[in-house]
């Protein structure tokens, strides 16, 4: 049973436009959400996160929105740049502890076309 | 140093071999993780060490044996693996205390092929 779902395996966006990546989750105990970006032959790198007490977090071109009632979060990238082409993973965890049990979604491959 | 270093990058082994994957970080992180990722699938958590103690084992078969000799090193000992164990094995670390515990820093991974 997938607790974190990314239903779009791929997305193609024109350079300069907005990229919107979506993620749904089923576990209401999740209270912290993260987005990771992965290039080929590299490990995932942390991009942006949001706590469940917020509904929006912004960092430069990246904004994450959280809708707790819908159990849905999205990552907006604007403007999209060629270097944004990568696989994006949504991830979630529940509770604070000294070690995290973080669950990943299956990923969305974003391609930015010129 | 802001990196997690994994060796080897590639490993090919037979089903009767014994090998080890190694992971090292010098960021002062006190939690370290092993994830397994198969093609077109998300990373799946295998083990978590917190302050050098095993805190999470996600019902991983005993042919995978983790070891955390100190706060900077994490090993994954492999023995009698099956071809279906072929995957990318990712090591990660985090601060080990909230809120830094939420953000994992990953290595580039060790790609394992079991023949």
């Amino acid at each position: 049973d997938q607790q974190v779902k990314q239903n779009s395996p791929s997305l193609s966006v024109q350079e300069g436009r907005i990229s919107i990546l979506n993620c749904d989750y089923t576990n209401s105990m999740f209270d912290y959400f993260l987005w990771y970006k992965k290039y080929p032959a590299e490990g995932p790198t942390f991009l942006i996160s949001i706590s469940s007490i917020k509904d929006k977090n912004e960092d430069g071109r990246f904004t994450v929105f959280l809708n707790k009632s819908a159990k849905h979060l999205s990552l907006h990238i604007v403007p999209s740049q060629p270097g944004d082409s990568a696989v994006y993973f949504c991830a979630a965890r529940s509770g604070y502890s000294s070690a995290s049990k973080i669950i990943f979604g299956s990923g969305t491959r974003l391609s930015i076309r010129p | 140093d802001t990196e997690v270093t994994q060796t080897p990058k590639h490993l090919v082994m037979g089903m009767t071999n014994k090998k080890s994957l190694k992971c090292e970080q010098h960021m002062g992180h006190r939690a370290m993780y092993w994830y397994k990722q198969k093609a077109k699938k998300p990373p799946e958590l295998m083990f978590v060490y917190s302050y050098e103690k095993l805190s999470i084992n996600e019902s991983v078969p005993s042919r995978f044996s983790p070891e955390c000799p100190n706060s900077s090193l994490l090993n994954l000992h492999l023995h009698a693996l099956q071809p279906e164990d072929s995957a990318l094995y990712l090591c990660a670390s985090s601060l080990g205390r909230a809120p830094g515990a939420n953000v994992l820093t990953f290595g580039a991974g060790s790609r394992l092929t079991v023949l």
Side-chain angles (χ1 to χ4, degrees):
Chain A
D1 178 32
Q2 265 191 297
Q3 297 186 64
V4 180
K5 300 178 187 178
Q6 293 176 257
N7 292 319
S8 298
S10 63
L11 176 68
S12 179
V13 174
Q14 191 166 20
E15 183 179 356
R17 305 294 290 266
I18 184 170
S19 295
I20 301 176
L21 295 93
N22 293 304
C23 177
D24 297 297
Y25 62 95
T26 57
N27 188 341
S28 56
M29 297 301 293
F30 288 145
D31 63 358
Y32 201 86
F33 303 90
L34 308 96
W35 285 93
Y36 280 83
K37 175 180 176 179
K38 186 177 187 302
Y39 292 119
E42 294 183 12
T45 55
F46 170 71
L47 196 55
I48 192 169
S49 62
I50 188 167
S51 164
S52 60
I53 62 173
K54 295 186 175 182
D55 55 19
K56 177 182 173 181
N57 188 28
E58 195 170 350
D59 183 3
R61 296 186 297 115
F62 303 92
T63 303
V64 56
F65 295 93
L66 176 62
N67 182 335
K68 279 198 300 183
S69 60
K71 294 193 178 68
H72 177 83
L73 63 156
S74 61
L75 174 68
H76 293 209
I77 306 173
V78 57
S80 300
Q81 297 175 354
D84 296 329
S85 294
V87 177
Y88 288 78
F89 290 99
C90 171
R93 66 156 288 164
S94 57
Y96 273 162
S97 72
S98 62
S100 305
K101 183 169 178 175
I102 294 184
I103 309 296
F104 285 82
S106 52
T108 296
R109 182 176 300 279
L110 175 64
S111 300
I112 306 301
R113 58 182 192 273
Chain B
D1 189 351
T2 58
E3 286 188 348
V4 174
T5 304
Q6 289 189 243
T7 55
K9 290 196 185 320
H10 299 275
L11 177 63
V12 179
M13 60 186 290
M15 289 190 284
T16 58
N17 293 158
K18 282 186 183 180
K19 297 284 185 185
S20 297
L21 304 180
K22 297 184 185 303
C23 175
E24 191 168 0
Q25 57 86 18
H26 297 287
M27 295 178 281
H29 288 179
R30 300 309 298 272
M32 297 187 77
Y33 310 74
W34 281 114
Y35 279 82
K36 171 182 177 179
Q37 186 179 23
K38 304 205 78 161
K40 298 190 193 300
K41 297 286 188 183
E44 293 179 8
L45 183 64
M46 300 175 71
F47 302 104
V48 182
Y49 273 83
S50 176
Y51 292 82
E52 293 106 70
K53 289 185 169 38
L54 183 64
S55 63
I56 298 176
N57 177 342
E58 289 289 281
S59 303
V60 179
S62 60
R63 57 186 184 267
F64 295 92
S65 175
E67 179 197 18
C68 189
N70 60 57
S71 60
S72 299
L73 295 175
L74 183 67
N75 298 320
L76 186 63
H77 302 298
L78 314 169
H79 175 54
L81 294 194
Q82 305 295 313
E84 58 265 29
D85 296 321
S86 298
L88 180 68
Y89 288 83
L90 292 162
C91 174
S93 67
S94 69
L95 263 176
R97 64 181 184 279
N102 290 320
V103 179
L104 273 57
T105 300
F106 282 88
S110 293
R111 184 159 299 282
L112 172 68
T113 302
V114 182
L115 301 176

